Amino acid sequence: MKDFVPDTAPLRPPSEVMRLARMGAMMPTRLSFLRVLVRQLCAERAQITRRTWDMTPEGHGRAVFSITLSGHTYSLVAVSNDLPPDQRSDRVIATAWDAAFVLYDGVPDAADVDRIAAQAPLQEAGRFGPHDLVLSRANKSVRMWNACVSALQSGTQPDPAMIRDIGYLMRTTAVYGNGKFGIADRHLIADRPGLGGPFAVEMLAVYMIRHFTLELVQHVGRGTLDRSLARHLGIGNATGLGMAPFLVTHPVLFNNWMVARETALARVRGVQDVTPDQSKRLKTLAERAARHLSEWHVPAPDHDAALRDLHRDWIRFSTCFEAPDTVETLWQMGQSESEPLQELLAALLIEAFPDLVDDLVAEMGDPHGPLTVPFADTQSLKSAIERDWAWALQLDYEQADECRRFWYVSAAKLEPRLGDRHAEPGADLETPLDIARRVAALYAALKDIATPVSAFLARHPGHAHAASRVAILHRYPYAEIRDNLIAATCRPIDMLRCKLSFFGATKFDPKSDLWTRITLAQGAPLGDELGPSRDDWWLPTGE
Amino acid sequence: MDWSWTELQALGVKAASGAGVPAAQALAFGAMLPRHLADGGGEEPLIRALEAPDCIVTLAHQIEEMVERASITPKPVRMHQSDAGQRALMISWLAGLPCQSEVSVSGTEVRAALSLAAPSTRVRPKRIAVSEVLAAQLRNLAERTYVPDSDASRNVGAGAGLMDLD
């Protein structure tokens, strides 16, 4: 806890923040989970050691790397395979990958490594144990990989522009933690220093996978990458629909993320006197953001056009950083700008004031689940719906487009998918993410006579899910996305962007409304560079 | 086979849903399941409940009623449950709530002192053993919640059609 109470501006209300359009514009901040993890590694001057390196000249084989964090040693076991190009797919239903990984709790012995080498390439079809903390797999960016290998083999360095544009040698297509397929539950490690934050152990795996890819390409290329180029190679990720429902099914956790972020922004907005050093820092970050935007290009024309608009607007807006009297002045100047610019500005302000915000990381987990108090009666429940869910009551869910989508799990490797209710079978097996519609139906079923809620739910058990969501939102105001997730206009990519920004993702590269590629750890210190002065890689730029 | 808490909970939710239990009650059943096994409640009550899913809905309602009563009185709340299996599940259900709970039994009466604002401090085990009988029942019921694959749905899934090498 902080030993002083900073001045704060009011938090932005959930009605403003918890909208898909704004969530779909969010940027990584210094509260993002990978950033927090690397900051901790830097503070401890952690070092990665190579324990096993059993690779063919072509880079196929196995490797083990270890790192010690707050007294515990963790090891990445990597298995690199020869993957035929026609099998290189980002989808969940893929069955083979260039590389598979397990983050192991401790140092694995030879039997453990043999076991992991046999199971990890099977991924979802494999079976794992309580010492296995994270399971992941990755595919090469073949263009980036080949360019690096051939440059190194010819004694030169890869093209910095290509590194800027692609940003990684491999991209993960899944990073599984918390008990999946038998791996360790989060509660077994959540009280360890350094791993208490959300997804901390997954981020540790991701950081070590990035290290592995750099080692592997230098092994195959038989050369050494320039440090500045290596640092600008992060680790990619392809993310689809599986990540989107998480925000709905973990409402308290999601609330805590958003509250931390909004509290950080409110604290910074409360800074009354901007010192010359702070003013200089703000300008430096604004210039870095402009350069980052200039280097961020994506193939999809509509998304690239949006990026170009943001870049242009940011250049224009950057004059506001010349001499702000207060942070609030600067913030208010941004309020007439687009949502993407406002979200970039929010992330920048949070970045500039670490002493005001970094303690909020401790509040971003949810170790307990919802601690809600039941409503006194159905009238209280009804009042809560009218107050917190007015937006949901305004929609007509009988309209075809207001209920067009349905979320479901396919029997094919349990791949999450999104269907058209009016054109495809399977809506009877819909995953219950239609929260707004359910709450509206609950409201319609509530009469004007006050009765105990439990008595009402005994007669209408199908409304219990909605009633529980109303109770959760009543206690946790940022727990709910305030949009209709089954509307034809719902873009899952906005949910992905929100969640991935909390992971610390950059260079979002949407491939459709359903999935995106991103870059993690671009600009992060390398495995032998972790030290206290290295925590300055928000929105990395090429050198 | 040994399971993680989380995978057992997730499978429990799906299995209850596959058995026809509504969403909220299925979620609560899933949260109860690993607690019940971890506390040595036995598999038989779970197997029977999944065979008669109305019991799960009734049990969920009874818990709701107890929590509601606990919110207006600091005294322990009580509920009669004559079926021993259901009673065992009720104990686990209360013990698995996110809040602090002290649960005791006297004859057919289950008594619970619930502190709704205080988080549970119950310890979770590293692994939970599940027999193949229960595991198969859970898997079979969970499968009922999956939509059969088709060319059409596969071709519009996230990532479909893209094999680029970036």
Side-chain angles (χ1 to χ4, degrees), chain B residues 28 32 47 73 98 111 115 123 143 146 151:
Chain B
M32 176 272 291
I47 291 169
T73 174
R111 189 181 308 176
S115 305
V123 175
E143 276 173 19
Y146 308 144
D151 287 345

Side-chain angles (χ1 to χ4, degrees), chain A residues 64-85:
Chain A
V64 180
F65 293 91
S66 296
I67 192 167
T68 298
L69 172 63
S70 301
H72 292 271
T73 299
Y74 305 95
S75 300
L76 183 79
V77 181
V79 184
S80 173
N81 307 300
D82 183 8
L83 183 70

Side-chain angles (χ1 to χ4, degrees), chain A residues 251-461:
Chain A
V252 180
L253 186 63
F254 188 31
N255 172 82
N256 295 351
W257 297 359
M258 295 302 280
V259 168
R261 182 176 173 278
E262 292 305 311
T263 303
L265 177 60
R267 284 183 182 175
V268 176
R269 285 172 57 197
V271 173
Q272 292 300 315
D273 300 310
V274 179
T275 66
D277 280 352
Q278 289 167 339
S279 184
K280 188 177 168 193
R281 176 69 173 155
L282 287 167
K283 277 177 66 176
T284 300
L285 291 172
E287 286 162 11
R288 188 193 299 176
R291 187 157 170 206
H292 180 85
L293 291 171
S294 76
E295 295 177 3
W296 181 5
H297 294 270
V298 297
D302 52 341
H303 290 289
D304 199 59
L307 281 172
R308 303 285 65 80
D309 288 348
L310 176 57
H311 184 212
R312 184 200 59 224
D313 292 348
W314 185 257
I315 296 289
R316 176 177 47 72
F317 181 75
S318 291
T319 57
C320 299
F321 286 89
E322 284 305 323
D325 300 329
T326 65
V327 175
E328 184 65 7
T329 312
L330 187 56
W331 176 252
Q332 288 303 330
M333 284 192 277
Q335 296 314 291
S336 56
E337 302 288 344
S338 66
E339 287 179 335
L341 189 142
Q342 290 173 20
E343 293 310 304
L344 175 56
L345 178 58
L348 181 148
L349 293 177
I350 291 170
E351 180 66 27
F353 293 88
D355 293 346
L356 282 181
V357 304
D358 283 358
D359 66 309
L360 291 164
V361 167
E363 312 295 324
M364 294 178 85
D366 169 32
H368 314 302
L371 292 170
T372 56
V373 176
F375 289 105
D377 55 36
T378 50
Q379 284 305 101
S380 304
L381 173 61
K382 201 169 178 183
S383 299
I385 296 175
E386 287 164 354
R387 187 182 54 250
D388 298 335
W389 298 81
W391 61 272
L393 300 181
Q394 292 165 2
L395 302 172
D396 178 2
Y397 302 94
E398 297 298 313
Q399 292 283 328
D401 277 352
E402 290 293 359
C403 65
R404 182 169 296 283
R405 308 272 207 171
F406 71 98
W407 298 75
Y408 68 93
V409 176
S410 168
K413 276 192 84 182
L414 308 191
E415 186 177 66
R417 291 179 185 169
L418 198 55
D420 181 336
R421 187 184 311 278
H422 311 302
E424 295 172 48
D428 53 325
L429 297 174
E430 177 170 16
T431 307
L433 302 186
D434 53 336
I435 307 296
R437 182 172 68 165
R438 284 170 179 265
V439 171
L442 164 64
Y443 183 78
L446 290 167
K447 309 294 180 203
D448 284 329
I449 305 158
T451 58
V453 175
S454 63
F456 169 80
L457 293 177
R459 295 193 302 278
H460 306 282

Side-chain angles (χ1 to χ4, degrees), chain B residues 9 12-18 21-32 56 60 93:
Chain B
Q9 176 172 347
V13 175
K14 287 180 186 173
S17 297
V21 174
Q25 294 85 344
L27 283 168
F29 179 84
M32 176 272 291
I56 297 174
W93 205 304

